[in-house]
Amino acid sequence: MTNTERLVEKMRRFIRASGRFFAELVLSIPELILVFIRGMVLTGKWLIQGVRYLLEAL
């Protein structure tokens, strides 16, 4: 094996590894968005209930 072949092999391994990483990242993005939306909805409900209680107290 020459130096160039070794370099090419290292590059291929690196590209393969980073490709797998990006694939996992892209697959996990929708889950993160869903969790974020769920959190927003829950905090929104809490805010609305809090405002309602405040208005009833007045």
Side-chain angles (χ1 to χ4, degrees):
M1 253 179 131
T2 62
N3 280 340
T4 345
E5 285 175 340
R6 266 190 217 133
L7 271 174
V8 168
E9 188 64 30
K10 278 183 183 174
M11 286 295 289
R12 280 196 188 134
R13 278 191 195 145
F14 178 74
I15 290 168
R16 214 173 290 149
S18 61
R20 200 173 299 139
F21 172 73
F22 279 116
E24 286 178 14
L25 190 69
V26 167
L27 285 174
S28 69
I29 284 173
E31 288 175 24
L32 290 173
I33 291 171
L34 282 174
V35 167
F36 182 71
I37 289 172
R38 204 173 295 147
M40 290 289 286
V41 167
L42 284 175
T43 50
K45 282 182 185 172
W46 280 107
L47 279 172
I48 290 165
Q49 282 180 344
V51 168
R52 198 174 293 154
Y53 284 133
L54 278 173
L55 288 175
E56 284 176 6
L58 294 172

